[in-house]
Amino acid sequence: MPELDWGSLGFGYVKTPYRFVAEFKDGKWNKGIITDDDKIVISECAGVLQYAQTVFEGLKAYRTCDEKTVTFRPNLNAERLIASAKRLEIPPVHEDMFLEAVDKVVNANRDFVPPYGSGASLYLRPFIFGSSPVIGVKPAQEYQFRIFATPVGPYFKGGLKPITIRVSDFDRAAPRGTGHIKAGLNYAMSLHAIVDAHENGFDENLYLDPATRTYVEETGGANFIFITKDGALVTPKSESILPSITRRSLCYVAEKYLGLKVEHRAVKLSELSDFAECGLCGTAAVISPVGKIYDHGKEIAFPAGTEKAGPITQKLYETLTGIQLGTIEAPESWIREIN
């Protein structure tokens, strides 16, 4: 076992011994290999460098309460990577190839899957990028599909503490653009906004719909969930929101495990003060409770979650992480065991 202090790990990159690499050449993907070489050598004119032709995913491997090593709904990551690739004219990898590659990377780095109860996990980053030279504005002809792994600590140390966010003056995505796929270029668009938010004392940005700037969309890297005062879960609906796997899982948990009403609909900025709880959901933190939102000087505080996570947010978090770690029975096909 590696000599790591699992309890003190942050959410950052720690190099592990092995990664998966496959290449697309002459119109087809090769089978790929597991390698210990973490360096990438490409042309200075590669498509990824010139025109940001790259897509990626993020998922985790866990050690469960009965010492199994598992991943959580990786088939949905495969489906989303395929959709993202098609949107950027990248040849997609088959779902079976994706799943087998994930299994291989976890198996090769099994010593870096943190022990059950540590709060840590093995984060996996699959990505595809254009590797051949492109000077005209067009897709590359050759690509690499890679997956690396890095052990990460719990996103929150010391429990779920509400964050403070602001309504951003920037737009995250264009109408009918690429907001619904997991492309590197979307995250590059958000970097200035998040740095500016941090410099002004906020944890994140709330992005509005770019067409009318009246509806809630998402943050730079997470979907919103809201809890109404009568206990229903509401998630914003928009064609430019990334379809979060965590958000979809939480909606299922809310309805099937907790018996809550679930609504997926457009959410107006003007109605935020009517909600009792608010959270951001994604792979890294599962749920980040939001205590306050500032809209150009106007404070919107969520009564059930200004000092700690609201009761429903907390229950959603505990139930979904229980499913991931094996203490709560999972729906069929949600957990993939890696032998």
Side-chain angles (χ1 to χ4, degrees):
M1 291 288 287
E3 293 184 5
L4 290 175
D5 182 356
W6 303 112
S8 65
L9 280 175
F11 198 87
Y13 176 72
V14 176
K15 180 182 172 183
T16 53
Y18 301 104
R19 65 273 312 132
F20 177 86
V21 183
E23 294 186 329
F24 182 90
K25 290 183 178 180
D26 301 321
K28 61 182 180 181
W29 286 103
N30 64 17
K31 292 182 179 180
I33 60 170
I34 291 291
T35 176
D36 61 359
D37 186 1
D38 65 323
K39 301 298 187 289
I40 299 173
V41 179
I42 53 176
S43 166
E44 63 186 353
C45 197
V48 63
L49 301 178
Q50 301 308 315
Y51 302 119
Q53 199 185 14
T54 180
V55 293
F56 71 98
E57 276 298 322
L59 67 158
K60 292 178 177 179
Y62 307 86
R63 193 93 63 183
T64 64
C65 60
D66 53 359
E67 290 302 311
K68 294 177 180 177
T69 299
V70 304
T71 49
F72 179 72
R73 308 192 78 180
N75 59 304
L76 296 187
N77 293 98
E79 291 174 10
R80 194 168 62 182
L81 188 67
I82 290 168
S84 297
K86 289 179 177 178
R87 179 64 176 81
L88 291 193
E89 288 297 324
I90 294 172
V93 298
H94 193 274
E95 180 177 325
D96 289 344
M97 180 181 182
F98 178 95
L99 295 174
E100 289 172 8
V102 167
D103 290 355
K104 288 178 180 178
V105 171
V106 175
N107 257 327
N109 296 290
R110 191 176 284 268
D111 286 348
F112 287 83
V113 181
Y116 172 76
S118 64
S121 55
L122 185 68
Y123 183 81
L124 304 165
R125 173 54 60 86
F127 60 109
I128 311 175
F129 62 90
S131 55
S132 59
V134 178
I135 197 65
V137 181
K138 59 184 178 181
Q141 295 300 303
E142 297 178 359
Y143 298 84
Q144 287 191 30
F145 167 48
R146 303 176 71 101
I147 305 176
F148 66 80
T150 182
V152 296
Y155 205 79
F156 293 110
K157 295 183 184 293
L160 301 181
K161 296 179 180 178
I163 61 175
T164 300
I165 67 177
R166 69 170 184 187
V167 176
S168 180
D169 290 326
F170 296 98
D171 291 331
R172 174 188 162 270
R176 296 173 294 280
T178 58
H180 63 294
I181 66 169
K182 205 165 178 66
L185 56 91
N186 292 341
Y187 295 80
M189 294 277 284
S190 73
L191 294 178
H192 174 68
I194 191 62
V195 169
D196 186 70
H198 289 166
E199 289 177 348
N200 285 278
F202 299 98
D203 297 295
E204 252 294 2
N205 290 289
L206 181 158
Y207 292 105
L208 299 172
D209 75 290
T212 71
R213 294 192 57 79
T214 57
Y215 292 94
V216 174
E217 293 227 318
E218 62 168 272
T219 69
N223 283 188
F224 277 98
I225 60 169
F226 299 99
I227 306 299
T228 65
K229 291 175 181 176
D230 60 357
L233 186 150
V234 177
T235 66
K237 184 178 182 179
S238 166
E239 293 300 317
S240 55
I241 291 177
L242 183 74
S244 164
I245 294 166
T246 304
R247 187 257 298 162
R248 284 180 276 174
S249 302
L250 287 169
C251 287
Y252 184 94
V253 165
E255 184 176 8
K256 303 298 184 182
Y257 284 67
L258 305 184
L260 304 180
K261 179 182 178 183
V262 174
E263 300 178 55
H264 186 47
R265 62 171 176 81
V267 175
K268 290 185 177 181
L269 175 64
S270 60
E271 68 176 296
L272 292 191
S273 57
D274 296 332
F275 292 116
E277 301 176 38
C278 172
L280 309 180
C281 55
T283 299
V286 181
I287 304 178
S288 308
V290 176
K292 296 178 182 179
I293 297 174
Y294 282 87
D295 180 13
H296 301 87
K298 176 186 176 184
E299 179 186 284
I300 304 167
F302 298 96
T306 54
E307 299 298 326
K308 61 181 181 179
I312 293 179
T313 299
Q314 184 72 36
K315 189 64 176 175
L316 285 167
Y317 175 83
E318 291 172 354
T319 306
L320 187 57
T321 54
I323 289 170
Q324 292 172 334
L325 296 174
T327 60
I328 296 175
E329 185 176 357
E332 185 178 357
S333 78
W334 275 29
I335 302 299
R336 180 179 176 92
E337 185 177 354
I338 300 174
N339 297 313

